[in-house]
Amino acid sequence: MGTVTVTGAGPALLLMMALGGCISPMDMHLPKVTPVPPPVAMAPEASLALARQGEGRLQAEDYVQAVPSLTRAAQGGDGRAQALLGQMYLDGTGVARDPQQARYWSRQAAQQGEGLAYATLGRMWRDGAGVTADAGRARDWFGKARAAGEPMGARFLGLDARAAGEPALAAAWWAEAGRGGDAPAQLLLARALAAGDGVPQSLEDAAQWYALAAGHPRSPAGPPAMVALADLKLRGAGVAPDREGALALLRRAAGLGDAAAKAALARAGATG
């Protein structure tokens, strides 16, 4: 059962509810939670159809229009929709950023074993979003995300390892996440390989990982990976020289709004 949304309750009532299991003691210090839509009785196939509709709109970058379908699906108990809503409320994607809504929906989804929800909760504890930052709890959630098959978990474990001065361990985590299709991890590993940071330097391997990340144009990692791969192609470093291929990558990244790509095109005299 998920965390109950409570408004206007005094300390005594909160303590009684915590002891009774309605809310956990660690939730009692949180700010008042924004009211969330109540559960709705819905056939599983109906909530699944709504979840797929909402996720399709997300993939089409129609974020605002995705919210109603995902919300209805989440109310109907669909774990994937709950996890996606949690992530959207944390990032402010298609909705106003609301860490408490993010936590509510992520906790609901986590109870259904959704790896994305584990990762979102890990991010909240890591960054102190709506909760008091706690690196240990964050790592626990990232570990659960990884165990559930969510590559973002391994990516954040890698970031924590890098911050702890363990670049080799960080690279290992990013390789795992990258093999799982996580574009930011692919970019992080490519940069580590290019710099020889925690791994033997290899521009050839870096180029391969940059190419993988560049294949995700909707990810924030996509355009920077395109720019980095274009640089290698222009210099013939780790790959065969390919000016036209490099310019095509830069134009694509520039079209996605990447400032570094626009600057590189200007330096190359190929802004068109």
Side-chain angles (χ1 to χ4, degrees), residues 9-248:
L13 177 58
L14 284 172
L15 179 59
M16 290 173 63
M17 294 181 71
L19 293 174
C22 295
I23 60 175
S24 66
M26 70 178 181
D27 290 336
M28 293 173 60
H29 70 283
L30 296 176
K32 185 183 295 184
V33 179
T34 304
V36 296
V40 173
M42 187 181 300
E45 56 270 22
S47 61
L48 177 60
L50 284 167
R52 287 176 173 170
Q53 182 183 71
E55 191 161 9
R57 287 174 175 163
L58 280 182
Q59 292 171 352
E61 300 184 1
D62 192 0
Y63 303 123
V64 173
Q65 292 303 313
V67 175
S69 296
L70 290 175
T71 300
R72 288 285 294 172
Q75 288 176 276
D78 185 88
R80 177 64 176 171
Q82 292 168 345
L84 288 168
L85 270 184
Q87 184 183 51
M88 292 170 74
Y89 274 110
L90 181 59
D91 294 334
T93 303
V95 291
R97 187 173 185 274
D98 188 334
Q100 298 309 319
Q101 289 266 11
R103 190 164 189 259
Y104 173 84
W105 288 117
S106 295
R107 284 172 64 90
Q108 298 300 307
Q111 291 172 9
Q112 301 194 55
E114 290 287 336
L116 176 60
Y118 296 150
T120 299
L121 289 165
R123 291 172 58 203
M124 295 185 73
W125 284 109
R126 182 178 190 265
D127 299 333
V131 295
T132 301
D134 188 319
R137 284 183 174 174
R139 282 192 296 273
D140 287 345
W141 283 114
F142 292 141
K144 290 179 180 179
R146 173 182 175 256
E150 171 54 57
M152 194 189 305
R155 186 221 305 171
F156 276 95
L157 289 171
L159 288 170
D160 286 347
R162 187 68 186 84
E166 299 181 79
L169 179 58
W173 284 126
W174 294 334
E176 178 181 314
R179 288 192 294 269
D182 188 82
Q186 293 166 350
L187 177 60
L188 287 164
L189 180 59
R191 288 172 171 168
L193 286 161
D197 185 15
V199 288
Q201 186 178 37
S202 172
L203 293 180
E204 292 82 359
D205 289 343
Q208 293 178 20
W209 285 104
Y210 280 135
L212 287 172
H216 298 269
R218 291 192 177 97
S219 167
M226 295 175 198
V227 173
L229 182 58
D231 177 65
L232 294 181
K233 288 177 176 287
L234 284 171
R235 295 189 289 117
V239 292
D242 182 1
R243 178 178 170 80
E244 290 307 311
L247 294 179

